[in-house]
Amino acid sequence: MNDPARPSTPCAMVETSLAAPCIATSGISGSAGTSPQAAGPDLVICIPTFRRPKELRALLESLASEVDSASMAVIIADNDAGPSTADVIDAMNVHLPRPEVIAVAERGVVAVRNALVKAALRVAPEWRWIVMIDDDGEVTPGWLSSLV
């Protein structure tokens, strides 16, 4: 039954906690996830960051064992994390596929998450899944395979 109060999109943007990252499947007709021979990664991991380089490094280190560079992309939205973000990413380059980094000048989680979704559609237009995990999160072995 259709509920007019509920959004008709496949995944409404919601605030997430460390225990429950936001994951969405694509449902965009004629775009993400609809091609049987999709080009590019199936999964996009999106990370908003704001002035927490130590936490970002810990998250990226925890993701390193979960990442298969052939089937996923990593996008980091820098919401004024400063030059230390580039240092963290450069240090992790040997363990992860090179993340796409986007600067988001407008403050706030909504602006950052919207920018991440737009970047995901640009970087991997045929994505099937998008996962958002905040920079202060860490993942455990098997985390990603349990989600997708």
Side-chain angles (χ1 to χ4, degrees):
M1 176 177 249
N2 273 344
D3 181 355
R6 298 185 76 184
S8 61
T9 57
C11 177
M13 295 305 293
V14 295
E15 185 65 29
T16 62
S17 69
L18 295 179
C22 178
I23 184 166
T25 58
S26 65
I28 302 170
S29 178
S31 183
T34 60
S35 171
Q37 296 176 329
D42 286 337
L43 170 69
V44 181
I45 298 175
C46 297
I47 305 167
T49 189
F50 180 78
R51 298 181 183 166
R52 293 191 282 214
K54 285 183 185 179
E55 290 85 349
L56 177 61
R57 177 183 294 275
L59 171 60
L60 293 176
E61 287 173 351
S62 71
L63 278 173
S65 65
E66 296 290 301
V67 171
D68 172 8
S69 62
S71 63
M72 69 180 62
V74 178
I75 304 172
I76 299 172
D78 187 345
N79 198 211
D80 192 34
S84 57
T85 300
D87 295 339
V88 168
I89 293 166
D90 288 342
M92 294 303 300
N93 197 31
V94 295
H95 304 292
L96 292 169
R98 181 74 182 170
E100 172 88 13
V101 180
I102 58 172
V104 182
E106 185 179 344
R107 296 285 187 265
V109 70
V110 173
V112 173
R113 293 193 194 284
N114 285 336
L116 283 164
V117 171
K118 287 179 187 174
L121 289 170
R122 181 181 45 78
V123 169
E126 299 293 327
W127 62 266
R128 290 182 59 201
W129 300 283
I130 186 170
V131 177
M132 292 205 188
I133 184 164
D134 291 341
D135 61 357
D136 61 348
E138 289 186 38
V139 302
T140 56
W143 169 83
L144 191 57
S145 62
S146 70
L147 291 175
V148 295

